């Protein structure tokens, strides 16, 4: 026996121990998109779509969310795919998908940007972006710029390659939210200094200060098509502003506690708000009235996000770590991930195609969720109730003498509701006199 043989010696390569290969779960949307592009040439509309059944054989027929515009319930993402954690564990305050959706960027309380792969969800890179905790970030509509704000009140401009090209002091206190105008020439930011500011993006100078709230301004959103800005504050009020003059157009009274998020729908008519009063409200800005109130959370609602493809689908996250999915025409939530996180859900972001949902939480994790495939059960450990298929009904047993040859062991010869005499006369050869 060779004396140099050591059975327990680990294989090394170039002085480093070889790592065991790890299989990563992935959600590849390319096949569904290619199939949709091929099939829609020969399809008139949704009437020609393949009806998916509860069986795994229909998985190849699955299409992207945009193909099911008439069926928003199919885009609810409750299946856990991956959990991403930084080496330096800290709360994740804000998350954003890259415009091309190939990466997800997270902003942490340590001031770091972390980039995660959009297909395999593995770590790509990390950089120290701010000296203070990152509180808000958003992409421009032309996908060329990203703006971020931190707890120290500083605002930074970023290019898609994560090159920082501009930095200035925007507020005296912590920035809470940032939103671009439809033209990308202006943007609005709000902070704990009780004000929201309209900025000139190119000059990086303030144009108008929106003053009218009596407390910290926690959120802001620019209308997707028009010159209208919505802000929510700790004074329980939602205000609408004219960004050209700085005038307060309207004040919406509906919540009984601090407003945490305001989000315009892509149709431009619905404004969604959430608050610490555990409620989500939808306002019609044409009437300036509340048209729907959604109740389902047990604690403060901390995050909101409209679906990018379905106009009536949105998701909300709460302080307890639960995530709820809603349809605007329904009074109750359609699905719930009760134990999505161990801490408060600070931000939610849909994949631009709508088949993935990312959530950032106070439990130091970023989690990815996807749609259930045909035949999948909602038996994920994060789901509140395990949904099991109903048991198949048992066939009534029959004596051996009354079993029909060729019809299985448990198939009775008698037909319910029909007498034996008539049954034997109708079906010759099945027994009887």
């Amino acid at each position: 026996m060779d004396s140099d043989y050591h059975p327990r010696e680990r294989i090394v390569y170039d002085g480093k121990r070889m790592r065991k290969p790890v299989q990563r779960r992935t959600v590849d949307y390319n096949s569904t998109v290619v199939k949709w592009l091929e099939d829609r040439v020969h399809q008139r509309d949704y009437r020609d779509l393949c009806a998916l059944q509860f069986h795994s054989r229909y998985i190849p027929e699955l299409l992207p969310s945009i193909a099911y515009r008439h069926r928003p319930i199919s885009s609810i993402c409750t299946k856990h795919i991956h959990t991403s954690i930084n080496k330096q564990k800290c709360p994740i305050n804000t998350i954003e998908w890259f415009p091309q959706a190939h990466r997800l960027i997270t902003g942490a309380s340590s001031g770091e940007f972390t980039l995660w792969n959009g297909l395999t969800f593995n770590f790509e890179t990390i950089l120290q972006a701010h000296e203070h905790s990152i509180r808000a970030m958003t992409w421009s509509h032309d996908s060329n710029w990203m703006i971020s704000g931190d707890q120290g009140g500083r605002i930074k401009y970023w290019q898609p390659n994560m090159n920082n090209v501009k930095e200035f002091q925007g507020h005296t206190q912590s920035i809470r939210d940032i939103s671009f105008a439809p033209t990308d020439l202006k943007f609005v930011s709000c902070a704990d200094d009780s004000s929201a500011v309209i900025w000139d993006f190119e000059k990086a100078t303030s144009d108008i200060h929106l003053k009218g709230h009596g407390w910290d301004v926690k959120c802001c959103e620019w209308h997707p098509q028009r010159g209208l800005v919505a802000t929510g504050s700790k004074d329980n009020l939602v205000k609408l502003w004219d960004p050209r003059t700085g005038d307060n157009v309207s004040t919406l009274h509906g919540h009984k506690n601090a407003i945490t998020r305001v989000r315009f729908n892509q149709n431009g008519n619905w404004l969604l708000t959430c608050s610490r009063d555990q409620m989500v409200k939808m306002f019609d800005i044409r009437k300036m009235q509340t048209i729907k109130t959604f109740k389902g959370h047990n604690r403060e609602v901390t995050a909101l996000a409209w679906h990018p493809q379905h106009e009536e689908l949105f998701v909300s996250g709460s302080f307890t770590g639960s995530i709820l999915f809603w349809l605007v025409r329904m009074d109750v939530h359609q699905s719930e991930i009760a134990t999505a996180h161990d801490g408060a859900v600070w931000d939610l972001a849909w994949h631009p195609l709508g088949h993935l949902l990312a959530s950032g939480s106070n439990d130091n994790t970023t989690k990815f969720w996807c749609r259930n495939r045909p035949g999948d059960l909602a038996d994920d450990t994060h789901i509140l109730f395990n949904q099991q298929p109903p048991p198949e009904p048992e066939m009534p047993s029959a004596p051996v003498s009354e079993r029909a040859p060729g019809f299985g062991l448990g198939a009775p010869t008698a037909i319910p509701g029909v007498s034996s005499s008539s049954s034997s006369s109708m079906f010759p050869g099945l027994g009887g006199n």
Side-chain angles (χ1 to χ4, degrees):
M1 183 175 180
D2 191 358
S3 60
D4 295 335
Y5 175 71
H6 302 283
R8 295 187 178 182
E9 184 177 3
R10 298 184 181 274
I11 302 175
V12 297
Y13 175 75
D14 194 19
K16 297 181 180 180
R17 191 176 67 185
M18 296 293 291
R19 288 187 176 183
K20 182 185 296 185
V22 178
Q23 290 186 353
R24 292 185 176 272
R25 301 180 69 179
T26 181
V27 181
D28 189 3
Y29 58 87
N30 293 287
S31 60
T32 62
V33 173
V34 170
K35 178 175 176 54
W36 175 62
L37 293 175
E38 291 178 347
D39 292 349
R40 69 174 183 170
V41 178
H42 310 287
Q43 293 175 347
R44 296 168 297 174
D45 50 26
Y46 67 90
R47 293 173 295 178
D48 294 331
L49 289 176
C50 175
L52 298 180
Q53 304 296 326
F54 189 75
H55 199 279
S56 58
R57 72 180 63 172
Y58 287 89
I59 292 178
E61 303 296 331
L62 189 64
L63 300 177
S65 297
I66 192 174
Y68 303 110
R69 289 187 179 273
H70 63 292
R71 201 181 306 159
I73 199 73
S74 63
S75 296
I76 291 181
C77 301
T78 57
K79 185 176 182 179
H80 178 253
I81 294 298
H82 187 75
T83 299
S84 300
I85 308 176
N86 288 353
K87 286 186 177 179
Q88 181 182 354
K89 296 181 179 180
C90 55
I92 306 300
N93 296 327
T94 178
I95 57 178
E96 284 285 339
W97 286 94
F98 272 69
Q100 295 80 15
H102 60 290
R103 293 187 184 95
L104 178 80
I105 181 171
T106 63
S109 60
S110 61
E112 296 174 330
F113 280 160
T114 307
L115 274 64
W116 305 95
N117 189 279
L119 284 178
T120 57
F121 317 115
N122 59 295
F123 167 81
E124 288 198 353
T125 187
I126 189 171
L127 69 152
Q128 189 68 39
H130 288 263
E131 297 179 359
H132 300 87
S133 174
I134 301 173
R135 289 295 179 180
M137 59 184 178
T138 185
W139 285 94
S140 61
H141 295 87
D142 60 7
S143 307
N144 292 329
W145 299 95
M146 189 185 76
I147 298 180
S148 62
D150 63 16
Q151 193 166 356
R154 299 196 67 80
I155 297 176
K156 291 188 177 184
Y157 293 176
W158 303 87
Q159 292 176 326
N161 60 358
M162 292 293 102
N163 180 32
N164 179 217
V165 296
K166 187 72 176 179
E167 178 182 359
F168 61 93
Q169 187 72 32
H171 293 267
T172 58
Q173 295 188 31
S174 175
I175 293 176
R176 291 297 179 177
D177 208 354
I178 298 176
S179 180
F180 263 104
T183 60
D184 291 335
L185 299 177
K186 310 281 185 180
F187 70 93
V188 59
S189 64
C190 63
D192 287 344
D193 55 9
S194 304
S195 69
V197 182
I198 305 295
W199 301 89
D200 186 291
F201 176 74
E202 184 177 357
K203 300 178 182 178
T205 57
S206 60
D207 286 350
I208 297 175
H209 288 256
L210 307 177
K211 295 184 178 181
H213 285 290
W215 216 338
D216 303 348
V217 183
K218 294 296 186 182
C219 50
C220 61
E221 178 87 341
W222 204 301
H223 193 280
Q225 294 101 21
R226 303 185 182 278
L228 186 66
V229 174
T231 58
S233 172
K234 205 173 179 180
D235 59 5
N236 311 346
L237 300 178
V238 176
K239 290 182 178 290
L240 300 176
W241 308 84
D242 185 347
R244 295 176 290 270
T245 62
D247 296 335
N248 180 210
V249 177
S250 180
T251 301
L252 304 176
H253 304 264
H255 291 282
K256 300 178 181 179
N257 210 323
I259 312 297
T260 55
R261 285 289 186 272
V262 291
R263 291 293 180 262
F264 278 108
N265 189 275
Q266 55 190 351
N267 61 20
N269 298 325
W270 299 339
L271 176 65
L272 205 62
T273 64
C274 64
S275 169
R276 292 180 180 174
D277 60 6
Q278 307 175 14
M279 291 189 296
V280 179
K281 288 183 177 289
M282 188 172 68
F283 295 88
D284 190 332
I285 63 173
R286 296 168 294 184
K287 302 177 181 179
M288 297 298 175
Q289 294 179 355
T290 305
I291 59 176
K292 198 82 171 180
T293 300
F294 304 93
K295 298 179 181 180
H297 289 286
N298 298 322
R299 290 291 300 275
E300 301 94 319
V301 187
T302 54
L304 276 179
W306 286 102
H307 194 274
Q309 304 296 337
H310 297 291
E311 180 181 89
E312 55 181 330
L313 176 63
F314 69 91
V315 61
S316 61
S318 75
F319 190 80
T320 59
S322 63
I323 297 177
L324 270 61
F325 296 85
W326 306 83
L327 291 177
V328 297
R329 65 174 183 267
M330 306 298 291
D331 294 329
V332 297
H333 55 273
Q334 301 304 297
S335 187
E336 176 183 7
I337 312 176
T339 57
H341 288 275
D342 296 331
V345 180
W346 292 133
D347 203 5
L348 296 165
W350 290 95
H351 189 281
L353 286 179
H355 70 292
L356 284 177
L357 176 69
S359 58
S361 171
N362 197 55
D363 63 0
N364 311 331
T365 65
T366 302
K367 293 188 177 182
F368 297 87
W369 314 85
C370 76
R371 302 178 296 172
N372 282 298
R373 300 178 302 175
D376 287 351
L377 298 176
D379 57 355
D380 196 291
T381 57
H382 299 273
I383 303 298
L384 180 60
F385 300 106
N386 292 337
Q387 300 177 0
Q388 299 294 338
E392 297 183 358
E394 297 182 359
M395 296 296 295
S397 59
V400 178
S401 59
E402 297 181 4
R403 292 172 184 169
F407 286 87
L409 294 178
T413 58
I415 302 176
V418 182
S419 62
S420 58
S421 59
S422 60
S423 174
S424 58
S425 61
M426 292 173 57
F427 301 96
L430 295 183
N433 299 325

